[in-house]
Amino acid sequence: MNNTKNYILQVEEYVTDLLCDLPVNLCYHNLKHTKEVVEACKILARKSQLSPSNTELVIIAAWFHDAGHAVTYFGHEKAGTEIAVDFLSRIHYPKSKINKVVNCILATHYPPRPQNELEKVLCDADMYHLSLDDYESRSFSLRKELETVTSTEIPKQHWCNKNIEFLNDHCYFTNYGKKVLQFLKEKNIKKYFTSHCKNS
């Protein structure tokens, strides 16, 4: 087995075990979401023509990008970098590559400010779901999660208005994101939020 596959498999196994122990109220930021971001990263890495080495980096970063939820809900990006550094150091992942993984994870903190193509790929992968047909149900899963985490009820109208604002403010960074995902996201805005969550 080559080193790339070996590193990625070790990370996948470690993060999977870690996220399996998340509180049940995390119905959005869970292992399923992380796996989906990893798969989105693979698509975007290919569309962006990343080298095998850079693809490895961004996939590893994708596995760790929400790992901090095992420690804290708010500020999970920084916590995730600490988890990543600790584990990657233990499996002797090159320090120069660890630094790039860390920067990718930190770039996903909202509002994202990616500085290079690697960071752009991870940021777009993290928001890939905005372009999917089931965005409506994902959005309300996030609402339910936030309500349980903060012990605060979020009125549906308020949530919908905030989502319209978020979707309109958000932008993709990769060429594929701008050309394809943006178009699909705009369809979602029209399909659900402008129909069911109109401003009163």
Side-chain angles (χ1 to χ4, degrees):
M1 183 182 294
N2 64 46
N3 283 340
T4 293
K5 286 184 179 178
N6 187 39
Y7 283 131
I8 292 175
L9 285 174
Q10 288 184 78
V11 168
E12 177 180 353
E13 182 179 344
Y14 175 74
V15 175
T16 297
D17 286 345
L18 185 69
L19 297 185
C20 278
D21 291 331
L22 286 177
V24 292
N25 65 334
L26 296 191
C27 54
Y28 179 82
H29 289 103
N30 50 29
L31 180 58
K32 178 177 179 287
H33 168 71
T34 291
K35 287 181 174 180
E36 290 175 342
V37 172
V38 170
E39 291 307 309
C41 257
K42 293 176 182 177
I43 294 170
L44 288 162
R46 187 168 64 252
K47 297 292 184 181
S48 300
Q49 298 182 316
L50 293 188
S51 67
S53 177
N54 282 337
T55 298
E56 170 198 306
L57 283 167
V58 79
I59 289 173
I60 287 175
W63 275 111
F64 280 111
H65 88 284
D66 273 348
H69 280 299
V71 179
T72 182
Y73 193 81
F74 299 103
H76 68 272
E77 295 91 356
K78 185 176 186 301
T81 64
E82 292 169 357
I83 292 169
V85 169
D86 176 68
F87 181 75
L88 293 173
S89 297
R90 283 192 275 128
I91 64 171
H92 307 295
Y93 198 59
K95 187 173 181 180
S96 60
K97 290 187 175 184
I98 293 177
N99 291 336
K100 292 179 180 179
V101 168
V102 165
N103 289 336
C104 283
I105 296 170
L106 292 176
T108 64
H109 178 74
Y110 199 81
R113 295 186 178 89
Q115 301 299 309
N116 55 49
E117 196 64 22
L118 281 178
E119 295 171 16
K120 290 177 182 179
V121 165
L122 183 57
C123 287
D124 280 7
D126 196 25
M127 294 296 169
Y128 198 92
H129 66 285
L130 304 183
S131 70
L132 300 178
D133 286 340
D134 63 348
Y135 175 68
E136 173 190 344
S137 62
R138 291 169 183 267
S139 165
F140 285 103
S141 288
L142 179 57
R143 174 192 175 206
K144 180 180 177 183
E145 178 179 286
L146 285 169
E147 286 182 327
T148 59
V149 168
T150 62
S151 299
T152 304
E153 183 180 353
I154 304 173
K156 181 182 177 184
Q157 186 66 56
H158 175 76
W159 180 254
C160 291
N161 290 342
K162 284 296 182 183
N163 269 271
I164 293 172
E165 182 182 325
F166 166 73
L167 288 166
N168 284 323
D169 287 346
H170 166 267
C171 64
Y172 286 107
F173 299 101
T174 62
N175 287 334
Y176 182 77
K178 291 174 182 177
K179 292 177 181 177
V180 179
L181 302 183
Q182 179 67 24
F183 172 75
L184 296 172
K185 183 188 76 173
E186 288 171 359
K187 284 180 64 177
N188 276 338
I189 297 174
K190 295 173 184 176
K191 182 174 70 175
Y192 176 72
F193 288 104
T194 58
S195 297
H196 302 286
C197 300
K198 292 179 181 177
N199 291 318
S200 53

Tab-separated table of all heavy atoms in Angstrom, residues 16-38:
chain	number	residue	atom	x	y	z
A	16	THR	N	-13.453	8.469	12.089
A	16	THR	CA	-14.712	7.726	12.160
A	16	THR	C	-14.993	7.282	13.592
A	16	THR	O	-16.113	7.448	14.104
A	16	THR	CB	-14.673	6.497	11.227
A	16	THR	OG1	-14.537	6.939	9.871
A	16	THR	CG2	-15.951	5.674	11.350
A	17	ASP	N	-13.993	6.736	14.255
A	17	ASP	CA	-14.158	6.333	15.656
A	17	ASP	C	-14.489	7.534	16.537
A	17	ASP	O	-15.347	7.462	17.424
A	17	ASP	CB	-12.882	5.656	16.176
A	17	ASP	CG	-12.698	4.258	15.618
A	17	ASP	OD1	-13.664	3.703	15.069
A	17	ASP	OD2	-11.572	3.715	15.718
A	18	LEU	N	-13.814	8.640	16.269
A	18	LEU	CA	-14.005	9.858	17.063
A	18	LEU	C	-15.430	10.392	16.919
A	18	LEU	O	-16.104	10.701	17.909
A	18	LEU	CB	-13.004	10.926	16.611
A	18	LEU	CG	-12.954	12.231	17.396
A	18	LEU	CD1	-12.387	11.996	18.792
A	18	LEU	CD2	-12.101	13.258	16.648
A	19	LEU	N	-15.921	10.460	15.684
A	19	LEU	CA	-17.227	11.052	15.435
A	19	LEU	C	-18.386	10.112	15.764
A	19	LEU	O	-19.522	10.557	15.915
A	19	LEU	CB	-17.329	11.524	13.981
A	19	LEU	CG	-16.336	12.631	13.578
A	19	LEU	CD1	-16.611	13.106	12.147
A	19	LEU	CD2	-16.393	13.812	14.542
A	20	CYS	N	-18.101	8.840	15.879
A	20	CYS	CA	-19.152	7.899	16.290
A	20	CYS	C	-19.596	8.152	17.726
A	20	CYS	O	-20.674	7.721	18.137
A	20	CYS	CB	-18.668	6.456	16.139
A	20	CYS	SG	-18.812	5.818	14.464
A	21	ASP	N	-18.768	8.851	18.485
A	21	ASP	CA	-19.090	9.126	19.887
A	21	ASP	C	-19.674	10.516	20.104
A	21	ASP	O	-19.781	10.978	21.237
A	21	ASP	CB	-17.823	8.975	20.749
A	21	ASP	CG	-17.360	7.532	20.845
A	21	ASP	OD1	-18.222	6.640	20.750
A	21	ASP	OD2	-16.143	7.293	20.979
A	22	LEU	N	-20.050	11.206	19.019
A	22	LEU	CA	-20.639	12.540	19.164
A	22	LEU	C	-21.996	12.457	19.851
A	22	LEU	O	-22.697	11.444	19.743
A	22	LEU	CB	-20.813	13.191	17.788
A	22	LEU	CG	-19.560	13.700	17.074
A	22	LEU	CD1	-19.949	14.243	15.698
A	22	LEU	CD2	-18.852	14.770	17.878
A	23	PRO	N	-22.401	13.521	20.535
A	23	PRO	CA	-23.741	13.537	21.154
A	23	PRO	C	-24.819	13.355	20.084
A	23	PRO	O	-24.675	13.822	18.950
A	23	PRO	CB	-23.825	14.945	21.767
A	23	PRO	CG	-22.401	15.373	21.950
A	23	PRO	CD	-21.633	14.745	20.822
A	24	VAL	N	-25.904	12.707	20.452
A	24	VAL	CA	-26.966	12.404	19.483
A	24	VAL	C	-27.661	13.666	18.984
A	24	VAL	O	-28.289	13.644	17.911
A	24	VAL	CB	-28.014	11.438	20.076
A	24	VAL	CG1	-27.411	10.074	20.297
A	24	VAL	CG2	-28.598	12.003	21.368
A	25	ASN	N	-27.569	14.769	19.743
A	25	ASN	CA	-28.239	15.991	19.296
A	25	ASN	C	-27.532	16.658	18.123
A	25	ASN	O	-28.067	17.585	17.516
A	25	ASN	CB	-28.410	16.986	20.455
A	25	ASN	CG	-27.082	17.496	20.992
A	25	ASN	OD1	-26.063	16.825	20.884
A	25	ASN	ND2	-27.107	18.674	21.584
A	26	LEU	N	-26.334	16.190	17.785
A	26	LEU	CA	-25.661	16.720	16.597
A	26	LEU	C	-26.189	15.960	15.381
A	26	LEU	O	-25.559	15.033	14.878
A	26	LEU	CB	-24.139	16.577	16.727
A	26	LEU	CG	-23.473	17.378	17.852
A	26	LEU	CD1	-21.957	17.358	17.697
A	26	LEU	CD2	-23.972	18.821	17.883
A	27	CYS	N	-27.359	16.379	14.932
A	27	CYS	CA	-28.031	15.682	13.838
A	27	CYS	C	-27.613	16.208	12.475
A	27	CYS	O	-28.036	15.688	11.444
A	27	CYS	CB	-29.553	15.776	13.999
A	27	CYS	SG	-30.176	17.461	14.184
A	28	TYR	N	-26.784	17.243	12.463
A	28	TYR	CA	-26.259	17.766	11.190
A	28	TYR	C	-24.747	17.580	11.113
A	28	TYR	O	-24.230	16.956	10.194
A	28	TYR	CB	-26.624	19.244	11.010
A	28	TYR	CG	-26.056	19.796	9.719
A	28	TYR	CD1	-26.720	19.591	8.511
A	28	TYR	CD2	-24.841	20.467	9.692
A	28	TYR	CE1	-26.191	20.048	7.322
A	28	TYR	CE2	-24.304	20.930	8.504
A	28	TYR	CZ	-24.978	20.718	7.324
A	28	TYR	OH	-24.440	21.159	6.143
A	29	HIS	N	-24.036	18.147	12.079
A	29	HIS	CA	-22.573	18.023	12.098
A	29	HIS	C	-22.186	16.674	12.703
A	29	HIS	O	-21.861	16.577	13.881
A	29	HIS	CB	-21.942	19.166	12.896
A	29	HIS	CG	-22.038	20.487	12.204
A	29	HIS	ND1	-22.949	21.451	12.570
A	29	HIS	CD2	-21.346	20.995	11.155
A	29	HIS	CE1	-22.811	22.500	11.779
A	29	HIS	NE2	-21.858	22.254	10.911
A	30	ASN	N	-22.246	15.651	11.878
A	30	ASN	CA	-21.974	14.295	12.354
A	30	ASN	C	-21.102	13.552	11.341
A	30	ASN	O	-20.587	14.158	10.393
A	30	ASN	CB	-23.295	13.554	12.595
A	30	ASN	CG	-24.231	13.661	11.390
A	30	ASN	OD1	-23.783	13.793	10.250
A	30	ASN	ND2	-25.528	13.602	11.640
A	31	LEU	N	-20.938	12.276	11.544
A	31	LEU	CA	-20.082	11.481	10.660
A	31	LEU	C	-20.597	11.492	9.224
A	31	LEU	O	-19.806	11.553	8.274
A	31	LEU	CB	-19.983	10.043	11.179
A	31	LEU	CG	-19.126	9.075	10.359
A	31	LEU	CD1	-17.689	9.571	10.217
A	31	LEU	CD2	-19.147	7.679	10.993
A	32	LYS	N	-21.914	11.459	9.055
A	32	LYS	CA	-22.505	11.480	7.708
A	32	LYS	C	-22.074	12.744	6.965
A	32	LYS	O	-21.678	12.687	5.792
A	32	LYS	CB	-24.027	11.412	7.806
A	32	LYS	CG	-24.754	11.487	6.468
A	32	LYS	CD	-26.264	11.331	6.679
A	32	LYS	CE	-27.030	11.416	5.353
A	32	LYS	NZ	-27.080	12.786	4.821
A	33	HIS	N	-22.153	13.886	7.628
A	33	HIS	CA	-21.751	15.147	7.004
A	33	HIS	C	-20.269	15.111	6.625
A	33	HIS	O	-19.891	15.511	5.523
A	33	HIS	CB	-22.013	16.322	7.957
A	33	HIS	CG	-21.369	17.604	7.525
A	33	HIS	ND1	-21.794	18.332	6.434
A	33	HIS	CD2	-20.298	18.284	8.035
A	33	HIS	CE1	-21.028	19.407	6.292
A	33	HIS	NE2	-20.125	19.407	7.247
A	34	THR	N	-19.442	14.634	7.536
A	34	THR	CA	-17.999	14.581	7.257
A	34	THR	C	-17.708	13.701	6.043
A	34	THR	O	-16.922	14.070	5.164
A	34	THR	CB	-17.227	14.075	8.487
A	34	THR	OG1	-17.299	15.070	9.523
A	34	THR	CG2	-15.760	13.826	8.161
A	35	LYS	N	-18.341	12.543	5.976
A	35	LYS	CA	-18.134	11.651	4.837
A	35	LYS	C	-18.569	12.318	3.534
A	35	LYS	O	-17.918	12.155	2.489
A	35	LYS	CB	-18.906	10.346	5.036
A	35	LYS	CG	-18.303	9.415	6.072
A	35	LYS	CD	-19.114	8.126	6.188
A	35	LYS	CE	-18.437	7.121	7.115
A	35	LYS	NZ	-19.227	5.863	7.228
A	36	GLU	N	-19.653	13.069	3.586
A	36	GLU	CA	-20.132	13.765	2.390
A	36	GLU	C	-19.166	14.858	1.956
A	36	GLU	O	-18.936	15.060	0.755
A	36	GLU	CB	-21.521	14.349	2.643
A	36	GLU	CG	-22.603	13.290	2.749
A	36	GLU	CD	-23.963	13.839	3.116
A	36	GLU	OE1	-24.027	14.985	3.619
A	36	GLU	OE2	-24.961	13.120	2.927
A	37	VAL	N	-18.578	15.543	2.917
A	37	VAL	CA	-17.597	16.578	2.581
A	37	VAL	C	-16.346	15.939	1.967
A	37	VAL	O	-15.763	16.480	1.018
A	37	VAL	CB	-17.236	17.428	3.824
A	37	VAL	CG1	-16.075	18.380	3.527
A	37	VAL	CG2	-18.449	18.220	4.288
A	38	VAL	N	-15.946	14.793	2.489
A	38	VAL	CA	-14.801	14.068	1.917
A	38	VAL	C	-15.077	13.705	0.458
A	38	VAL	O	-14.233	13.910	-0.420
A	38	VAL	CB	-14.484	12.792	2.737
A	38	VAL	CG1	-13.471	11.917	2.000
A	38	VAL	CG2	-13.950	13.167	4.120
